[in-house]
Amino acid sequence: MSDPRHPHDQDLTAQLSFTAADAELLERRCLHQGFFRLEELHLRHRLFEGGWSGEVVREVHRRHDAVGVLLYDVERDTVVLIEQFRAGAFDDPASPWKLEVVAGLVERGESVAEVARRETLEEAGCEVGELIELHTYYPSPGACDERVTLFCGLVDSRGLGGVHGLDEEHEDIRVHVLPFTRAWELLQAGRLDNAMCLIAFHWLAGERASLRARR
């Protein structure tokens, strides 16, 4: 039910009426098939003012869906972050090594919760207790079909650290355990510059007090 204090919410919901049936795929071409797939889509779609668009051609990067996990130790008010080389940041003027939350791709037959627990063990060397699901979102729907499910995972951060990752996936991952306040300073300074970190940390900033009150 819409909030009577916000009557425009109901109007907006009524206007958001386009569905998958209002777009038509005319042709799909594979431009490249490697670790990921690049496709060229020829399509048309309905227009807000009525009728249909002409043929539209777009390249779409097809990826597996992904999972991200911000690891948080409620007892010690610390977060666990990982650092690794990222090819997409190769031209970053500061560094292509990025501080991130644990993350991984969803393989066929896996649930997002299973991926969250598997990746936490592989990348950070720890077990997750409670998993709190935050959001599912498209990082870049104008060019990529990937959807990300983001979690906060409650952990015991004592003794965590070192280098982890799977050799067969060429992973070289260093684990950092930081006080929340220090991690927030890094975020404010632009060092946590990826969507998963930004979304997860802003969620944790709002929920941290209530999580700690549950102790």
Side-chain angles (χ1 to χ4, degrees):
M1 181 179 297
S2 62
D3 189 333
R5 294 171 298 178
H6 301 283
H8 296 300
D9 290 352
Q10 188 172 6
D11 295 339
L12 179 59
T13 301
Q15 293 173 25
L16 297 176
S17 55
F18 284 162
T19 69
D22 296 302
E24 179 184 0
L25 180 64
L26 304 175
E27 184 181 2
R28 185 192 302 270
R29 300 175 184 172
C30 177
L31 301 179
H32 174 75
Q33 178 66 66
F35 186 70
F36 299 116
R37 180 182 176 94
L38 181 65
E39 294 183 346
E40 181 181 271
L41 303 186
H42 295 243
L43 55 89
R44 66 181 194 136
H45 59 80
R46 291 193 185 275
L47 301 173
F48 290 123
E49 294 185 343
W52 286 79
S53 71
E55 180 176 327
V56 178
V57 180
R58 292 287 184 268
E59 290 80 34
V60 174
H61 185 198
R62 294 187 63 83
R63 294 172 50 98
H64 295 280
D65 287 343
V67 168
V69 194
L70 174 58
L71 303 177
Y72 179 58
D73 185 333
V74 175
E75 185 70 26
R76 292 160 192 84
D77 197 25
T78 55
V79 295
V80 181
L81 296 175
I82 61 172
E83 179 186 6
Q84 61 183 319
F85 177 84
R86 288 306 204 184
F90 188 84
D91 294 321
D92 189 302
S95 173
W97 276 264
K98 292 299 177 182
L99 283 170
E100 303 173 337
V101 302
V102 163
L105 302 179
V106 181
E107 302 295 341
R108 186 181 299 276
E110 283 188 304
S111 71
V112 289
E114 288 170 341
V115 177
R117 294 185 183 279
R118 169 174 58 77
E119 291 293 335
T120 298
L121 188 59
E122 291 177 3
E123 295 190 347
C126 74
E127 302 276 355
V128 174
E130 182 181 354
L131 268 177
I132 304 168
E133 187 170 336
L134 311 186
H135 303 286
T136 297
Y137 63 94
Y138 287 94
S140 184
C144 183
D145 70 341
E146 177 188 44
R147 292 205 314 166
V148 172
T149 301
L150 197 54
F151 291 94
C152 178
L154 304 188
V155 298
D156 182 344
S157 65
R158 289 177 296 181
L160 297 184
V163 176
H164 299 268
L166 300 179
D167 290 340
E168 60 268 29
E169 295 184 8
H170 304 286
E171 292 179 330
D172 182 50
I173 298 170
R174 183 162 61 175
V175 172
H176 298 269
V177 180
L178 300 171
F180 172 84
T181 52
R182 175 57 182 148
W184 188 256
E185 289 173 356
L186 290 173
L187 184 147
Q188 297 289 74
R191 293 293 307 280
L192 305 184
D193 56 355
N194 61 85
M196 286 188 187
C197 268
L198 292 169
I199 295 169
F201 267 95
H202 279 283
W203 178 90
L204 183 56
E207 298 295 329
R208 177 167 154 251
S210 62
L211 289 174
R212 304 203 75 207
R214 292 162 46 181
R215 290 180 297 168

